[in-house]
Structures are given as structure tokens and as C-alpha cells.
């Protein structure tokens, strides 16, 4: 019997090296998707999910022999919302036992992970990179044009930029404005999480610790408020990130870490210890049995592109898109949770930039018709169709770092007219022009463009009405904050698009509260059919996915946010 490969047993340096291990070493690495997806890709990549990580931390917190946990953050590639959620989970663990976070690579994300822990350690040789945030997006319009490929891009409205990377050769002013606003919000939220909102950096570039304590030493929990968000206008973050930290000692003096040391100065790893290993594994099995036999909360995930029909996997090839969540699968899972007598509330977890307007509306309707409380929790992205599906939820939770909003509509297609001419290809058409609306052989005619714009306006008006109804706002107000514009989770809360800032645990707590369940009520896995726990059911036929890289089939109108924007 072995522990998971990211867990090791150890003895504290202040203890007896010959005693039974009383520390656990936990390695944090990878992206930590909230739920493990089904299909061959997950099996080959061996990704650990955030769901599995938090369950593991919960078991460690309950183990009476665990005197401390050393968390080593190495190779962490999680998004900002996930890093923030991991930090909150570690903060909950630190309320039960001693937690030390060890950072050989000190970055914006790793400091966010350590923000709620009292002891943050980095080695003398640590790589330090704390520059603030930036966004990068590649525009391929000029590249495509050189090869004879144009791109039709109809959108509602000016901020809706899902297709502009393909139709244009540079970022427009509206996209630059909304990304700049998001980055400013993210930096304010980062400073708030570390307890530094409203503080300036002294001229010597060494900011003094807040309230006499170090950032990352629990200060963030007391300084930032219950939800960890930063109020707009709480200081300007620019000064902080102008300080060019290059080594661990500077970070210690600035209060960003508490000690400069190597991990072997904290614990001594030990060989396999059967007794301790058995206790941890036994605790895992006991938790699973309890979850199957009590009233609780069901989690239904919506991840990746939203499409009509059944969810489908992606073959394990790096150039293919992420798995797509089908409206039929999600609706079936919601209805199953409705019928399940042990399910008293539902959490709809959304990490999606949307996709099909039709599929998004179908899921929205299923959520609106639920008779049990539904709490929506946003992941890294819950934008456009990803926001549409959750607009009718009874309570909405987002990370301050979530990318959300983007209430807008797009229609587009590649146009290969010049490409075909250059390569001697001559598509000939017979029949009615409108039937070739999706054909890449030619652009939209004036009549087709007018027809598409009318259809888009109807979809946009419906989208706005759904949000106005679900969020109890006027249609005029939703249009004002819509127009395709993205918002951070923190800004979305101030606008009324979100009720609470927090993570999945906060969403589960809200669901338990709305359903009148105890605070420790278990979480049930629910799906439309056979699936791994916590994942939607994916169809078995991969042929449709291989047939083309465009996941939306023949659907014309999209409520889609392009996730090619990289936040660094």
C-alpha cells in the first residue's frame, strides 16, 4: 500500500528522527482542474484535480497524528482563480494544524497560494518573479490574409472580441480597455489577498509589513475582508510591482515570506511507514462511504465549450481542443439531481467561455426550472454562454480573479475565396443562396448579413432578458454592463452579476445553508450516466471530434468568449 505520489511522510526537524512520522510533505504541481474529466486524456496526463486536493487536505486536517504539513509549490501552472482557491483551502487546513509553504519558485501565483498561511519559506537560491500581471493575445488576421483567408466577424457589441483574433491583425481599443481593467482588478485583488491593499512601496523598494506582520502570514485573512476581494480604489498597485525583487532575502525583508531556508531544514523525509499510510487511506474510504449515505449537495460541472447534444471527450492529442460539455448531458444530470431524494441542493460549477447560444439557453432553462436550491460557482472563466447558463441560479459565487460577463453574441466564418483562386480550387454552387450561409467558399451577401444581424439581435435580447430576470436587474442595466464586455469576479460582484466572492467551498456552504443542511453535509457526485465522480458524462464516439476542430457543428449564433487570452 502506497501513498499518492504527491504525498510523503516526514519527521519535523525539532522531533526525534526515529519516531513515527508526524509531518506530511505535499507537492503542489500542475494546473489542478476543479473536476477530473473523463476519457483517455485524463488517464494519460494523470492530472490531480482541485476536488481531490481539497479532499486530501480535509483528511490531513482530521488526522490526529499530523503535527504539520509542508506544502512544496513547484511547477504550479494553475490559473489565478484556482491558485486563490488553493490558498483558501490551505488557510482552512492551517486552522487545524501547522502548515508551512515552501516556495523554490516565487511567483504571483505561488504567493497567492501561500497568502493565508503563517509560515512561508523560500530557499536562498529561489527564483523570484513578482512583476504584476499582463495579458497576451495573438492576432492572426494578417497571417491568414497572406494565405488568402479572410474572416467574417459579426458581433454584438463593441466589446465582444471572440472572433477578432481571426479577423484582425491587432487588438482594438475596446479589447485593450477591458483587459486593462481586468488586470487592474486582478492586481488589487492580489494585494488584498496578501493584506497589502492600499499600501505604497517606500522609496527604497522594501515595503514594510502590514500591521506589524508579514504578508503571507495570515495578514490577508484579516486585512482583506471575509471574501478576500479588494474594494475599487484601494490604493494603486503600480508601486508594488515596480519594486524589482530578485532574491529571497529581499522578499523576507518586504514581508512577502517569513524565512529563508531549505526544505530539509524544516522536515526530514522518511521511508514508507505502513501504519501512517493505512490511517490516511482508511480515512479516505470512510469519507466516501459517509458521502453515499446522507443528505447532501450534488455538484454538476459545466467545463469547456458548451455545445448541443451530449458531452464529448477530446482524443489525447495536444493540438485538439478541450472536452466539450453538451447541454443534453448537463440537463440530464440536473434532472437526476432533482429526482434524487438524498440531494437537497445543487452546485452548478462553471469553468467555460460558453459556445452555442442554443445549448446555453437550454441549460439556463433547466437551472431555472429546478425546484431545489441551485448555487452557481465560477472557475477561471464563466463568460458569455458560461454566464448565460448560471444566470437563473439562486446564488452566484465567483473568485475575484474569475473572468466573467461578456454578455454578447457573435456570428462568423472563414472565407476562402482568395485561397481557392490561388490554388486552383473552384467551388460551384447550385440552389438557394441562404442554404450556403455557412459555406467558407464565399463571404456573406448583403441579404445574409442583414438576416444574421437580425438573428443575433434576437439572441442578444433574449440573453439580456435572461440575465435581467435571473439577477433582478433591468434590461437597460444589463445592456449597459453587457455589450460583450468582460469583468473580473470582483467587479462583477459590484455590478450585481455575482452575489459573493469565494471558492467552491463557499458555494457548497451557501448550498447547504439554502437547503437547511448541516455545515458538514456531504457532497454527492451526480451525472447523467456512467462517469467518474464529479465529471459530466462524455460520449464514447470520438469520431465526431476528429472530424473537425470546430466544436459547434452547424450552429450559427455563438455566445462565446475566446480563451486564447493568456494572463501572465
Amino acid at each position: 500500500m502506497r501513498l499518492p505520489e504527491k504525498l510523503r511522510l516526514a519527521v519535523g526537524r525539532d522531533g526525534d528522527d526515529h519516531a513515527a512520522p508526524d509531518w506530511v510533505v505535499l507537492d503542489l504541481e500542475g494546473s489542478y482542474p476543479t473536476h477530473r474529466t473523463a476519457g483517455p486524456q485524463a488517464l494519460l496526463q494523470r492530472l490531480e484535480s482541485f476536488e481531490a486536493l481539497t479532499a486530501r487536505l480535509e483528511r490531513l486536517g482530521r488526522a490526529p497524528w499530523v503535527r504539520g504539513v509542508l506544502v512544496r509549490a513547484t511547477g504550479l501552472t494553475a490559473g489565478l482563480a484556482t491558485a486563490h482557491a488553493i490558498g483558501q483551502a490551505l488557510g482552512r487546513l492551517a486552522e487545524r494544524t501547522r502548515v508551512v509553504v515552501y516556495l523554490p519558485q516565487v511567483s504571483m501565483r505561488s504567493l497567492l497560494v501561500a497568502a493565508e498561511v503563517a509560515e512561508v519559506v523560500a530557499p536562498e537560491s529561489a527564483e523570484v518573479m513578482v512583476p504584476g500581471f499582463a495579458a497576451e493575445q495573438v492576432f492572426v488576421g494578417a497571417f491568414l490574409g497572406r494565405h488568402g483567408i479572410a474572416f467574417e466577424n459579426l458581433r454584438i457589441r463593441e466589446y465582444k472580441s471572440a472572433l477578432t483574433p481571426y479577423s484582425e491583425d491587432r487588438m482594438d481599443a475596446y479589447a485593450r480597455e477591458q483587459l486593462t481593467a481586468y488586470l487592474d482588478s486582478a492586481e488589487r485583488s492580489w494585494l488584498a489577498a496578501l493584506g497589502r491593499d492600499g499600501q505604497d512601496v517606500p522609496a527604497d523598494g522594501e515595503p514594510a509589513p502590514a500591521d506589524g506582520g508579514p504578508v503571507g502570514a495570515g495578514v490577508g485573512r484579516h486585512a482583506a475582508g471575509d471574501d478576500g476581494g479588494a474594494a475599487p480604489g484601494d490604493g494603486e498597485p503600480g508601486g508594488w510591482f515596480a519594486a524589482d525583487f530578485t532574491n529571497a532575502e529581499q522578499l523576507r525583508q518586504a514581508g512577502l515570506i517569513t524565512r529563508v531556508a531549505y526544505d530539509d531544514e524544516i522536515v526530514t523525509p522518511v521511508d514508507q511507514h505502513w501504519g501512517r499510510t493505512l490511517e490516511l487511506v482508511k480515512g479516505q474510504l470512510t469519507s466516501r462511504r459517509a458521502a453515499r449515505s446522507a443528505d447532501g449537495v450534488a455538484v454538476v460541472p459545466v467545463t469547456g465549450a458548451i455545445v448541443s447534444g451530449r458531452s464529448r471527450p477530446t482524443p489525447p492529442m495536444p493540438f485538439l481542443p478541450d472536452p466539450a460539455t453538451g447541454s443534453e448531458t448537463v440537463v440530464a444530470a440536473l434532472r437526476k439531481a432533482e429526482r434524487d431524494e438524498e440531494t437537497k441542493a445543487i452546485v452548478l460549477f462553471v469553468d467555460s467561455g460558453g459556445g452555442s447560444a442554443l445549448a446555453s439557453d437550454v441549460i439556463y432553462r433547466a437551472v431555472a426550472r429546478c425546484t431545489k436550491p441551485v448555487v452557481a460557482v465560477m472557475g477561471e472563466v464563466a463568460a458569455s454562454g458560461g454566464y448565460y447558463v448560471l444566470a437563473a441560479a439562486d446564488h452566484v459565487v465567483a473568485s475575484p480573479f474569475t473572468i466573467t460577463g461578456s454578455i454578447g453574441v457573435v456570428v462568423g466564418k472563414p472565407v476562402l475565396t482568395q485561397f481557392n483562386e490561388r490554388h486552383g480550387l473552384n467551388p460551384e454552387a447550385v440552389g438557394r443562396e441562404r442554404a450556403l450561409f455557412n459555406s467558407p467558399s464565399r463571404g456573406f451577401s448583403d441579404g445574409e448579413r442583414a438576416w444574421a444581424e437580425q438573428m443575433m439581435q434576437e439572441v442578444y435580447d433574449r440573453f439580456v432578458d435572461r440575465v435581467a430576470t435571473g439577477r433582478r436587474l433591468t434590461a437597460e442595466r444589463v445592456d449597459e454592463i453587457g455589450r460583450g464586455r468582460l469583468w473580473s469576479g470582483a467587479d462583477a460582484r459590484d455590478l450585481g452579476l455575482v452575489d459573493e466572492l469565494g471558492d467552491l467551498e463557499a458555494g457548497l456552504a451557501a448550498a447547504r445553508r439554502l437547503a437547511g443542511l448541516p455545515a458538514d453535509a456531504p457532497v454527492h457526485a451526480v451525472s447523467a450516466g456512467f462517469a467518474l465522480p464529479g465529471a459530466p458524462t462524455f460520449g464514447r464516439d470520438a469520431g465526431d471530434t476528429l472530424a473537425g476542430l470546430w466544436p459547434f457543428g452547424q450552429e450559427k449564433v455563438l455566445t462565446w468568449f475566446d480563451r486564447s487570452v493568456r494572463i501572465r
Side-chain angles (χ1 to χ4, degrees):
M1 184 179 299
R2 296 180 59 84
L3 285 172
E5 60 184 26
K6 294 185 180 181
L7 277 183
R8 297 182 183 179
L9 299 173
V11 176
R13 291 296 293 171
D14 56 350
D16 182 358
D17 288 350
H18 300 288
D22 53 2
W23 277 71
V24 172
V25 180
L26 171 63
D27 289 328
L28 289 181
E29 56 186 17
S31 61
Y32 288 96
T34 298
H35 295 275
R36 184 182 179 187
T37 57
Q41 188 177 33
L43 296 177
L44 291 179
Q45 293 179 346
R46 301 176 68 186
L47 293 175
E48 181 177 42
S49 68
F50 176 75
E51 180 184 37
L53 173 65
T54 53
R56 182 174 298 171
L57 296 177
E58 178 68 21
R59 292 192 297 273
L60 292 176
R62 290 198 304 265
W65 58 270
V66 175
R67 192 164 61 91
V69 178
L70 175 64
V71 180
R72 301 190 300 194
T74 59
L76 188 66
T77 60
L80 296 178
T82 302
H84 187 235
I86 292 173
Q88 292 179 308
L90 292 177
R92 292 190 292 269
L93 177 63
E95 295 173 357
R96 298 184 176 187
T97 190
R98 182 182 174 189
V99 177
V100 180
V101 176
Y102 179 72
L103 303 178
Q105 296 168 318
V106 184
S107 66
M108 299 290 290
R109 283 169 172 76
S110 66
L111 285 173
L112 196 57
V113 164
E116 299 201 24
V117 173
E119 297 177 73
V120 184
V121 180
E124 181 184 3
S125 57
E127 295 181 0
V128 178
M129 187 71 171
V130 192
F133 296 121
E136 185 176 48
Q137 188 171 25
V138 177
F139 288 77
V140 299
F143 173 82
L144 294 175
R146 291 192 190 102
H147 293 79
I149 303 173
F151 210 98
E152 291 277 11
N153 178 12
L154 309 179
R155 55 178 175 165
I156 297 179
R157 289 192 165 80
E158 66 272 20
Y159 291 99
K160 192 65 179 177
S161 58
L163 298 179
T164 53
Y166 309 100
S167 64
E168 309 298 328
D169 60 359
R170 58 177 52 87
M171 187 180 294
D172 64 30
Y174 298 108
R176 192 172 298 276
E177 175 190 350
Q178 63 184 346
L179 284 174
T180 299
Y182 171 80
L183 294 172
D184 287 345
S185 175
E187 288 184 351
R188 289 196 303 270
S189 294
W190 187 89
L191 291 170
L194 273 73
R196 291 296 182 149
D197 48 319
Q199 281 198 320
D200 293 324
V201 178
D204 59 5
E206 293 183 0
D211 300 335
V215 174
V219 176
R221 288 198 299 274
H222 304 294
D226 292 341
D227 53 34
D234 276 352
E236 292 299 325
W240 264 96
F241 305 117
D244 293 327
F245 298 113
T246 59
N247 60 65
E249 179 57 28
Q250 291 173 340
L251 296 176
R252 188 195 65 79
Q253 293 177 9
L256 291 172
I257 65 173
T258 57
R259 181 183 174 191
V260 177
Y262 289 87
D263 56 351
D264 61 7
E265 298 178 72
I266 304 170
V267 297
T268 301
V270 300
D271 294 332
Q272 187 66 267
H273 190 284
W274 292 102
R276 296 302 196 214
T277 300
L278 182 61
E279 289 184 51
L280 288 177
V281 173
K282 182 180 178 181
Q284 177 179 354
L285 296 175
T286 301
S287 299
R288 288 178 178 174
R289 284 194 296 268
R292 288 195 294 263
S293 59
D295 291 343
V297 179
V299 177
V300 177
V302 178
T303 57
I306 297 174
V307 299
S308 294
R310 301 285 294 178
S311 297
R312 53 182 181 261
T314 296
M317 302 179 202
F319 56 85
L320 290 179
D322 292 334
T325 294
S327 56
E328 182 181 328
T329 301
V330 175
V331 170
L334 289 170
R335 289 173 178 168
K336 184 176 180 181
E338 277 273 278
R339 295 191 302 268
D340 182 16
E341 295 182 357
E342 292 181 346
T343 296
K344 303 302 180 182
I346 300 168
V347 167
L348 185 74
F349 178 81
V350 181
D351 191 359
S352 170
S356 162
L358 169 61
S360 299
D361 189 66
V362 169
I363 296 174
Y364 166 91
R365 176 174 170 79
V367 173
R369 288 173 60 85
C370 282
T371 58
K372 296 178 179 179
V374 178
V375 174
V377 178
M378 300 182 182
E380 297 293 337
V381 176
S384 201
Y387 187 81
Y388 197 141
V389 299
L390 59 78
D394 299 294
H395 191 76
V396 179
V397 179
S399 165
F401 300 98
T402 295
I403 295 176
T404 188
S406 192
I407 299 169
V409 181
V410 294
V411 169
K413 68 175 181 178
V415 179
L416 306 181
T417 305
Q418 292 184 20
F419 179 88
N420 290 337
E421 290 176 357
R422 292 179 188 180
H423 294 84
L425 302 175
N426 184 29
E428 292 282 359
V430 177
R432 300 187 184 277
E433 179 185 70
R434 187 71 53 81
L436 297 173
F437 179 84
N438 286 334
S439 171
S441 300
R442 59 187 183 82
F444 295 141
S445 67
D446 291 342
E448 288 174 330
R449 186 171 285 104
W451 176 72
E453 289 173 348
Q454 175 62 33
M455 183 168 52
M456 291 168 62
Q457 188 63 53
E458 293 173 0
V459 172
Y460 180 74
D461 291 344
R462 187 180 305 115
F463 194 170
V464 167
D465 178 70
R466 301 292 197 239
V467 175
T469 301
R471 300 303 304 164
R472 297 178 177 84
L473 299 169
T474 65
E476 292 76 17
R477 177 57 175 162
V478 175
D479 178 58
E480 180 184 352
I481 62 181
R483 311 181 72 84
R485 176 159 183 165
L486 66 85
W487 302 98
S488 70
D491 288 342
R493 179 195 57 177
D494 297 335
L495 294 169
L497 297 176
V498 168
D499 296 304
E500 177 185 358
L501 295 183
D503 59 1
L504 180 59
E505 189 63 31
L508 292 171
R512 292 176 178 118
R513 183 175 64 251
L514 291 175
L517 293 169
D520 60 348
V523 178
H524 298 297
V526 62
S527 66
F530 173 78
L532 293 174
T537 302
F538 293 98
R540 295 183 176 86
D541 184 6
D544 291 339
T545 306
L546 287 171
L549 300 183
W550 185 249
F552 307 119
Q554 295 297 309
E555 297 189 37
K556 300 173 181 62
V557 183
L558 303 180
T559 48
W560 184 39
F561 169 76
D562 180 22
R563 298 184 67 163
S564 66
V565 178
R566 297 184 180 274
I567 306 298
R568 302 183 186 275

